[in-house]
CSV table of all heavy atoms in Angstrom, one decimal:
chain,number,residue,atom,x,y,z
H,41,ILE,N,117.6,-195.8,-115.7
H,41,ILE,CA,117.6,-196.3,-114.3
H,41,ILE,C,117.8,-197.8,-114.4
H,41,ILE,O,117.2,-198.5,-115.2
H,41,ILE,CB,116.2,-196.0,-113.7
H,41,ILE,CG1,116.1,-194.5,-113.6
H,41,ILE,CG2,116.2,-196.6,-112.3
H,41,ILE,CD1,114.8,-194.0,-112.9
H,84,LEU,N,103.3,-151.8,-114.7
H,84,LEU,CA,104.3,-151.3,-113.7
H,84,LEU,C,105.7,-151.5,-114.3
H,84,LEU,O,106.0,-152.4,-114.9
H,84,LEU,CB,104.2,-152.1,-112.4
H,84,LEU,CG,102.9,-151.9,-111.6
H,84,LEU,CD1,102.9,-152.8,-110.4
H,84,LEU,CD2,102.9,-150.4,-111.0
H,97,LEU,N,104.8,-173.2,-99.5
H,97,LEU,CA,104.0,-174.0,-100.5
H,97,LEU,C,103.3,-175.1,-99.7
H,97,LEU,O,103.9,-175.8,-98.9
H,97,LEU,CB,104.9,-174.6,-101.6
H,97,LEU,CG,105.3,-173.6,-102.7
H,97,LEU,CD1,106.4,-174.3,-103.5
H,97,LEU,CD2,104.1,-173.2,-103.5
H,160,LYS,N,165.5,-118.2,-114.3
H,160,LYS,CA,164.2,-118.9,-114.6
H,160,LYS,C,164.2,-119.4,-116.0
H,160,LYS,O,164.6,-118.7,-116.9
H,160,LYS,CB,163.0,-117.9,-114.3
H,160,LYS,CG,161.7,-118.6,-114.5
H,160,LYS,CD,160.6,-117.6,-114.1
H,160,LYS,CE,159.2,-118.3,-114.3
H,160,LYS,NZ,158.1,-117.3,-113.9
H,170,GLY,N,169.9,-134.2,-98.3
H,170,GLY,CA,169.1,-133.6,-97.3
H,170,GLY,C,169.2,-134.2,-95.9
H,170,GLY,O,169.5,-135.4,-95.8
H,183,GLU,N,171.3,-137.4,-107.1
H,183,GLU,CA,172.5,-137.1,-107.9
H,183,GLU,C,172.2,-136.8,-109.3
H,183,GLU,O,171.3,-137.5,-109.9
H,183,GLU,CB,173.5,-138.4,-107.8
H,183,GLU,CG,174.1,-138.6,-106.4
H,183,GLU,CD,175.1,-139.7,-106.5
H,183,GLU,OE1,175.3,-140.3,-107.5
H,183,GLU,OE2,175.7,-140.0,-105.4
H,198,PHE,N,163.1,-124.8,-102.4
H,198,PHE,CA,164.3,-125.5,-102.9
H,198,PHE,C,164.6,-124.9,-104.2
H,198,PHE,O,165.8,-124.5,-104.5
H,198,PHE,CB,164.0,-127.0,-103.0
H,198,PHE,CG,165.2,-127.8,-103.5
H,198,PHE,CD1,166.0,-128.5,-102.6
H,198,PHE,CD2,165.5,-127.9,-104.8
H,198,PHE,CE1,167.1,-129.2,-103.0
H,198,PHE,CE2,166.6,-128.6,-105.2
H,198,PHE,CZ,167.4,-129.3,-104.3
H,214,ASP,N,168.3,-124.0,-96.3
H,214,ASP,CA,167.2,-124.4,-95.5
H,214,ASP,C,165.9,-124.5,-96.3
H,214,ASP,O,165.6,-123.5,-97.1
H,214,ASP,CB,167.0,-123.4,-94.3
H,214,ASP,CG,168.1,-123.5,-93.3
H,214,ASP,OD1,168.7,-124.5,-93.2
H,214,ASP,OD2,168.3,-122.5,-92.6
H,255,SER,N,158.8,-133.2,-138.3
H,255,SER,CA,158.8,-133.8,-137.0
H,255,SER,C,157.4,-134.2,-136.5
H,255,SER,O,157.2,-135.0,-135.6
H,255,SER,CB,159.5,-133.0,-136.0
H,255,SER,OG,158.8,-131.8,-135.6
H,284,ALA,N,130.2,-128.6,-125.1
H,284,ALA,CA,130.2,-129.0,-123.7
H,284,ALA,C,129.7,-127.8,-122.8
H,284,ALA,O,129.0,-128.1,-121.8
H,284,ALA,CB,131.6,-129.3,-123.3
H,345,SER,N,118.7,-138.3,-111.9
H,345,SER,CA,117.7,-137.4,-112.2
H,345,SER,C,117.7,-137.0,-113.7
H,345,SER,O,116.7,-137.0,-114.4
H,345,SER,CB,117.8,-136.1,-111.3
H,345,SER,OG,117.7,-136.4,-110.0
H,426,LEU,N,137.9,-119.3,-123.9
H,426,LEU,CA,137.1,-120.5,-123.9
H,426,LEU,C,137.8,-121.7,-123.4
H,426,LEU,O,137.3,-122.5,-122.6
H,426,LEU,CB,136.7,-120.8,-125.4
H,426,LEU,CG,135.9,-122.1,-125.6
H,426,LEU,CD1,134.5,-122.0,-125.0
H,426,LEU,CD2,135.8,-122.4,-127.1
Side-chain angles (χ1 to χ4, degrees):
I41 296 179
L84 292 171
L97 283 167
K160 186 176 180 180
E183 292 185 358
F198 183 98
D214 290 335
S255 71
S345 295
L426 175 68

